């Protein structure tokens, strides 16, 4: 695919670095918001993998209310506007997924029943679903979870929350 981009000349070969030195410290698991304005990464903070959220425009670290405890963190994922940040974290001996609503300040811990442990996650851009890779008795599986009863949708600016229905004429 890279060769196809280079041959067609439609891809640029420049590396854009965000202000504030986003790429200057050891980071992993990058997650970009759908609108491209925020970047979540896992950084080493006092020897513990910790989620960090940055504004791409100015490079500033954005405050997170509910992620200072229960480390290590892994597999961050952001909704379209970055309203929701989902992360896998540790509480005691259990791993669970936590979603922070940055607009309301609420946190939504989502422990898995039946001894399943979350491994990786991917939050839908509108935050209505999450795909979760789980480990269950030595087997890996991907499960989809409906979040529509827990979270409000995070839609791109100007997009209607529901599409008008159209009738098919006979």
């Amino acid at each position: 695919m890279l060769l196809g981009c280079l041959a067609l000349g439609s891809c640029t070969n420049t590396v854009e670095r965000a202000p504030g030195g986003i790429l200057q410290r050891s980071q992993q698991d990058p997650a970009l918001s759908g609108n491209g304005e925020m970047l979540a990464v896992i950084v080493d903070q006092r020897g513990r993998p910790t989620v960090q959220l940055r504004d791409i425009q100015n490079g500033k670290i954005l405050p997170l209310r509910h992620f200072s405890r229960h480390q290590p963190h892994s597999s961050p994922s952001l909704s379209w506007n970055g309203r929701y940040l989902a992360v896998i974290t540790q509480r005691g001996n259990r791993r669970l997924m936590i979603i922070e609503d940055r607009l309301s300040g609420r946190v939504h811990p989502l422990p898995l029943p039946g001894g399943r442990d979350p491994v990786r996650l991917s939050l839908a851009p509108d935050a209505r679903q999450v795909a979760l890779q789980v480990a269950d008795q030595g087997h890996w599986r991907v499960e989809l979870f409906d979040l529509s009863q827990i979270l409000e949708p995070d839609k791109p600016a100007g997009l209607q929350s529901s599409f008008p229905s159209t009738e098919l004429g006979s």
Side-chain angles (χ1 to χ4, degrees):
M1 183 158 142
L2 177 61
L3 292 175
C5 286
L6 293 174
L8 295 174
S10 61
C11 296
T12 63
N13 61 356
T14 60
V15 175
E16 293 184 32
R17 295 182 188 241
I22 286 179
L23 301 175
Q24 291 181 356
R25 64 190 298 195
S26 178
Q27 301 172 349
Q28 59 186 7
D29 281 343
L32 195 58
S33 64
N35 63 8
E37 294 181 3
M38 289 183 223
L39 176 68
V41 294
I42 302 297
V43 298
D44 184 2
Q45 194 171 64
R46 292 184 290 271
R48 311 243 20 212
T50 304
V51 68
Q52 185 179 82
L53 185 62
R54 284 194 178 251
D55 182 312
I56 295 291
Q57 297 278 333
N58 59 28
K60 289 184 181 176
I61 297 174
L62 301 173
L64 296 170
R65 296 179 184 137
H66 302 284
F67 292 108
S68 61
R69 300 177 4 190
H70 309 297
Q71 295 159 321
H73 299 143
S74 64
S75 192
S77 188
L78 288 162
S79 62
W80 182 263
N81 296 301
R83 174 179 176 174
Y84 300 106
L85 172 61
V87 171
I88 295 174
T89 189
Q90 185 102 16
R91 283 197 182 165
N93 292 333
R94 292 282 300 164
R95 291 173 52 87
L96 70 142
M97 176 179 57
I98 293 180
I99 300 175
E100 180 173 309
D101 181 341
R102 296 182 53 251
L103 181 64
S104 73
R106 294 184 63 203
V107 65
H108 303 276
L110 301 168
L112 295 175
R116 297 185 317 250
D117 285 322
V119 177
R120 295 194 59 81
L121 64 86
S122 179
L123 186 63
D126 66 359
R128 305 297 275 174
Q129 293 185 72
V130 65
L132 193 60
Q133 179 185 2
V134 297
D136 185 12
Q137 299 177 5
H139 298 283
W140 300 80
R141 178 171 67 242
V142 174
E143 299 179 10
L144 293 175
F145 292 90
D146 180 11
L147 302 175
S148 63
Q149 301 301 312
I150 301 170
L151 306 176
E152 295 176 17
D154 189 14
K155 304 262 185 185
L159 189 65
Q160 296 177 356
S161 61
S162 61
F163 294 98
S165 60
T166 56
E167 292 184 32
L168 297 176
S170 313

